[in-house]
Amino acid sequence: MKKTLIGSFAIALVLSSTPLAAQQKMDDMKGMDMSTMPAAGDQVVHIAKGTVKKVDAEAGVVTLAHGPVESLNWPSMTMGFKVKDTTVLDQLSVGQTVEFEFVSADKGYVISGVK
């Protein structure tokens, strides 16, 4: 009986301190400049340079061998990207070097602009 009472007390103590711990973590953020944080629903635009390896107009995908993407902490790699506007694919050719912008989408990343 004594062990059950002590165990119940310990559980009650832990559960009652959880809101306090959560508040302490929020207090640490008081000095943070929230104006630099993306608002809910805003998309972060990532920028990279790469070489066109393949253009698949039917699938709406371009394969790029791109350099590091600092905003995502990505190393250089080769990957396929869907494009928001498929007319962009008409401007791309294998071997061409481009600077491109991309955003996160439902199923991967989508190119939003090419220079």
Side-chain angles (χ1 to χ4, degrees):
M1 175 81 172
K2 205 174 196 180
K3 287 183 182 180
T4 305
L5 184 59
I6 292 172
S8 297
F9 179 72
I11 291 172
L13 184 61
V14 168
L15 292 176
S16 66
S17 66
T18 302
L20 179 61
Q23 182 61 41
Q24 288 173 338
K25 291 191 183 298
M26 291 300 290
D27 289 344
D28 293 343
M29 297 176 62
K30 283 182 181 173
M32 240 175 117
D33 180 8
M34 299 303 275
S35 66
T36 60
M37 302 286 287
D42 283 356
Q43 286 190 316
V44 176
V45 176
H46 308 283
I47 300 172
K49 290 183 182 179
T51 303
V52 177
K53 294 296 184 182
K54 181 179 178 183
V55 178
D56 185 344
E58 191 173 306
V61 175
V62 59
T63 302
L64 295 163
H66 65 77
V69 181
E70 290 181 26
S71 58
L72 290 168
N73 200 26
W74 282 2
S76 300
M77 67 179 98
T78 301
M79 62 186 289
F81 290 90
K82 287 216 173 252
V83 293
K84 256 186 188 175
D85 178 6
T86 55
T87 62
V88 169
L89 297 173
D90 297 335
Q91 303 166 21
L92 301 175
S93 58
V94 174
Q96 181 181 5
T97 300
V98 295
E99 181 174 304
F100 61 102
E101 297 177 348
F102 62 100
V103 295
S104 179
D106 291 337
K107 296 179 180 179
Y109 290 93
V110 177
I111 291 179
S112 55
V114 176
K115 295 179 189 177

